[in-house]
């Protein structure tokens, strides 16, 4: 008999009816003799509602108080799920992150898990109980409640699976696996039976929110067998293959990820002398703003234009910092745009195939989509384009790389 850690996301516990559905599902596993540890998210929309309340109260709320607030959503669902399980004659016990203990560092709203105490959970499992743990939260050394960043319940699931040496970590959600791209954007997107760990890591970091990136990192580090499945439909889901088999023929492109959360800033007419990049980016990083893509161009008269992207939430903060830097450097000025998006093609097969980037650029040119920035790595090519073309670009690239469901059926 196996030990499963099962994580159910917000929509899967979005109503009393759905929580009953999850309880039926968990009970099914118990009836088959398996041990189950369940991790749940808050009901869908709840975390956003709580964040909304905070922003009504204060412009920049104290991160510690934010964590006290947003962690409440998961406390509701663990209790309701335990009630539903007991109603079905299935013994269960709920735990908050602090009760487990899931110990984290003290970086509120983006805390990292350091250690998990498995004693209570093991004792409950031995007594035949289902253990239900609140996702997304932990506790730091001083006893402060912390949270793991948006989508963090995935990471709780994988971390518990690692700590308990579970047979599999199952991420149950509102789609039946990982697709070639977001199936809500491309109708012809195809479910993948297997995706390599490296590809999943890139997809998650480039915007596919089906799995939180930290969860994928954790799975890789601790070799946790990880599967994404539909909460209420049967099916094999998608296995994240941690032991990537390089001997297998890999498709050139496995998936397309995209991200609307980006904004672009440019400082124009900067003197082209050593140390300029550092003078521009050090104050940005000192303001705790993460930079993603960077582009530098020597323009007319040997002056440099320097462009970079940041998270859209940091856009206005970054603009203020950059305006100050521009004055100090005697630059011509600054520009900014937050109506951009990033589209990326991902695939380990890229390593052994030439011309992948040019296929991407040709495809976008055919659709008359202007590329504003480009960045590449061994297994991905990302471009920044105007946000209004995002869906068109994703659909066109999905076809250009033969990822459509139809294309695959025809080739068989
Ligand atoms: P949960 O609340 O269960 O954590 P999320 O909304 O965080 O669910 O993640 C599931 C969503 O991820 C899907 O509804 C889908 O729209 C989106 N998604 C984005 N990219 C992909 C992809 N490549 N494959 C599957 N789903 C994707
Ligand atoms: N409830 C949290 C969020 O909405 C964590 C999660 O759902 O994974 O981000
Ligand atoms: Mg999620």
């Amino acid at each position: 008999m196996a030990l499963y850690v099962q994580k159910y996301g917000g929509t899967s516990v979005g109503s009393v009816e759905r929580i009953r559905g999850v309880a039926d599902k968990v009970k099914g596993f118990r009836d088959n003799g398996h041990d189950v540890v369940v991790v749940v998210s808050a009901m869908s929309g709840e975390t956003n509602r709580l964040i909304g309340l905070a922003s009504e109260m204060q412009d920049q709320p104290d991160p510690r108080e934010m964590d006290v607030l947003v962690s409440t959503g998961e406390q509701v669902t663990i209790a309701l799920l335990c009630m539903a399980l007991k109603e079905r004659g299935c013994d269960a016990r709920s735990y908050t992150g602090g009760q487990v203990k899931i110990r984290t560092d003290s970086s509120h709203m983006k805390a990292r898990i350091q250690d998990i105490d498995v004693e209570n959970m093991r004792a409950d499992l031995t007594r035949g109980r289902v253990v239900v743990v609140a996702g997304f939260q932990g506790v730091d050394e001083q006893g402060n409640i912390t949270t793991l960043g948006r989508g963090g319940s995935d990471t709780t699931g994988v971390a518990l699976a690692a700590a308990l040496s579970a047979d599999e970590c199952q991420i149950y959600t509102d789609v039946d696996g990982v697709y070639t791209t977001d199936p809500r954007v491309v109708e012809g997107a195809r479910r993948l039976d297997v995706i390599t760990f490296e590809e999943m890591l890139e997809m998650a970091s480039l915007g596919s929110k089906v799995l939180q990136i930290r969860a994928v990192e954790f799975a890789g580090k601790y070799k946790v067998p990880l599967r994404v499945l539909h909460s209420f439909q049967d099916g094999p889901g998608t296995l994240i293959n941690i032991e990537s088999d390089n001997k297998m023929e890999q498709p050139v492109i496995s998936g397309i990820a995209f991200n609307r959360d980006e904004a672009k800033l440019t400082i124009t007419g900067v003197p082209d002398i050593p140390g300029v990049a550092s003078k521009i980016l050090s104050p940005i990083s000192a303001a705790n703003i993460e930079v993603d893509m960077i582009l530098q161009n020597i323009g007319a008269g040997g002056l440099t234009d320097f462009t970079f992207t940041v998270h859209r939430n940091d856009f206005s903060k970054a603009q203020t910092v950059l305006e100050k830097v521009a004055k100090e450097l005697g630059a011509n000025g600054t520009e900014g745009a937050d109506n951009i998006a990033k589209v990326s093609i991902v695939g380990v097969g890229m390593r052994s195939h030439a011309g992948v980037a040019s296929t991407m650029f040709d495809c976008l040119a055919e659709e008359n989509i202007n590329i504003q920035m480009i960045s590449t790595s061994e297994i991905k090519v990302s471009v920044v384009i105007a946000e209004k073309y995002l869906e068109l670009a994703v659909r066109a690239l999905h076809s250009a790389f033969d990822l459509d469901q139809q294309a695959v059926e025809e080739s068989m």
Side-chain angles (χ1 to χ4, degrees):
M1 292 300 117
L3 165 60
Y4 294 119
V5 174
Q6 303 186 330
K7 178 260 172 176
Y8 292 89
T11 30
S12 313
V13 294
S15 66
V16 165
E17 216 30 67
R18 292 208 174 147
I19 293 176
R20 288 196 181 112
V22 169
D24 287 334
K25 181 141 192 154
V26 172
K27 182 172 187 297
F29 278 86
R30 285 295 300 136
D31 290 347
N32 286 326
H34 301 299
D35 283 335
V36 189
V37 172
V38 183
V39 173
V40 281
S41 292
M43 294 167 106
S44 55
E46 178 62 6
T47 310
N48 286 343
R49 187 184 75 84
L50 294 166
I51 292 171
L53 287 178
S55 59
E56 275 182 47
M57 203 54 76
Q58 211 186 355
D59 244 4
Q60 302 233 313
D62 178 350
R64 182 186 181 277
E65 302 314 326
M66 278 305 283
D67 278 350
V68 174
L69 178 70
V70 296
S71 59
T72 59
E74 274 75 7
Q75 192 166 332
V76 171
T77 45
I78 53 171
L80 291 175
L81 178 60
C82 280
M83 291 173 197
L85 284 164
K86 284 168 197 253
E87 183 67 21
R88 283 155 181 72
C90 189
D91 196 8
R93 186 168 252 209
S94 69
Y95 290 94
T96 63
Q99 286 173 323
V100 166
K101 281 181 165 170
I102 298 177
R103 259 212 327 108
T104 71
D105 62 19
S106 301
S107 317
H108 287 289
M109 298 167 71
K110 47 174 191 267
R112 283 181 179 270
I113 296 177
Q114 291 176 329
D115 183 48
I116 296 180
D117 191 346
V118 293
E119 226 170 273
N120 286 336
M121 290 188 286
R122 286 240 184 262
D124 282 327
L125 291 172
T126 307
R127 288 191 192 108
R129 287 179 181 145
V130 172
V131 175
V132 181
V133 180
F136 175 55
Q137 55 178 261
V139 63
D140 74 3
E141 203 145 17
Q142 287 74 44
N144 298 301
I145 297 173
T146 55
T147 62
L148 310 178
R150 297 306 304 270
S153 300
D154 294 341
T155 303
T156 308
V158 179
L160 286 179
L164 290 160
S165 308
D167 293 281
E168 191 166 86
C169 179
Q170 302 173 332
I171 305 286
Y172 287 97
T173 183
D174 55 4
V175 281
D176 63 346
V178 178
Y179 276 66
T180 45
T181 192
D182 190 338
R184 295 187 203 292
V185 170
V186 178
E187 227 178 76
R190 197 160 37 84
R191 183 183 59 79
L192 300 163
D193 286 326
V194 182
I195 183 166
T196 70
F197 161 72
E198 270 181 296
E199 287 168 332
M200 193 64 241
L201 200 60
E202 284 284 7
M203 291 281 280
S205 84
L206 295 167
S208 296
K209 69 167 186 167
V210 62
L211 281 176
Q212 200 205 30
I213 180 160
R214 292 248 180 102
V216 188
E217 283 169 355
F218 230 102
K221 188 164 171 194
Y222 296 98
K223 303 255 179 282
V224 177
L226 180 60
R227 194 181 288 276
V228 176
L229 305 118
H230 197 291
S231 297
F232 303 117
Q233 289 169 15
D234 289 335
T238 300
L239 178 72
I240 317 306
N241 190 3
I242 306 295
E243 313 282 358
S244 169
D245 182 356
N246 290 328
K247 285 185 258 58
M248 258 172 54
E249 177 83 32
Q250 299 285 358
V252 180
I253 297 302
S254 292
I256 299 174
F258 54 86
N259 188 355
R260 298 173 200 271
D261 296 335
E262 302 242 337
K264 186 176 84 163
L265 294 107
T266 302
I267 175 166
T268 58
V270 190
D272 182 27
I273 48 171
V276 161
S278 145
K279 285 202 176 103
I280 296 169
L281 294 181
S282 299
I284 296 285
S285 114
N288 219 351
I289 299 169
E290 248 178 74
V291 170
D292 180 16
M293 287 161 98
I294 300 173
L295 185 76
Q296 190 180 0
N297 265 335
I298 312 285
L303 294 177
T304 300
D305 287 348
F306 192 94
T307 302
F308 57 94
T309 61
V310 298
H311 194 284
R312 212 175 273 186
N313 290 345
D314 290 328
F315 182 48
S316 64
K317 196 159 95 177
Q319 262 181 323
T320 311
V321 175
L322 197 62
E323 275 158 21
K324 201 161 153 253
V325 172
K327 276 201 193 107
E328 284 165 12
L329 290 178
N332 287 346
T334 64
E335 289 164 14
D338 65 353
N339 54 354
I340 57 155
K342 183 166 76 175
V343 185
S344 311
I345 53 172
V346 175
V348 292
M350 231 183 260
R351 285 193 179 117
S352 50
H353 284 80
V356 175
S358 63
T359 305
M360 181 185 202
F361 304 153
D362 290 349
C363 165
L364 295 173
E366 239 165 70
E367 299 296 336
N368 246 327
I369 299 171
N370 188 38
I371 299 172
Q372 301 179 16
M373 295 173 88
I374 301 169
S375 92
T376 61
S377 81
E378 229 188 320
I379 67 161
K380 71 116 203 269
V381 183
S382 298
V383 296
V384 168
I385 58 171
E387 188 182 5
K388 64 180 175 191
Y389 297 126
L390 176 63
E391 300 199 350
L392 173 64
V394 175
R395 286 201 191 98
L397 290 167
H398 201 267
S399 297
F401 285 102
D402 293 332
L403 294 173
D404 294 341
Q405 179 72 46
Q406 220 181 338
V408 170
E409 279 162 10
E410 278 165 11
S411 74
M412 287 197 324

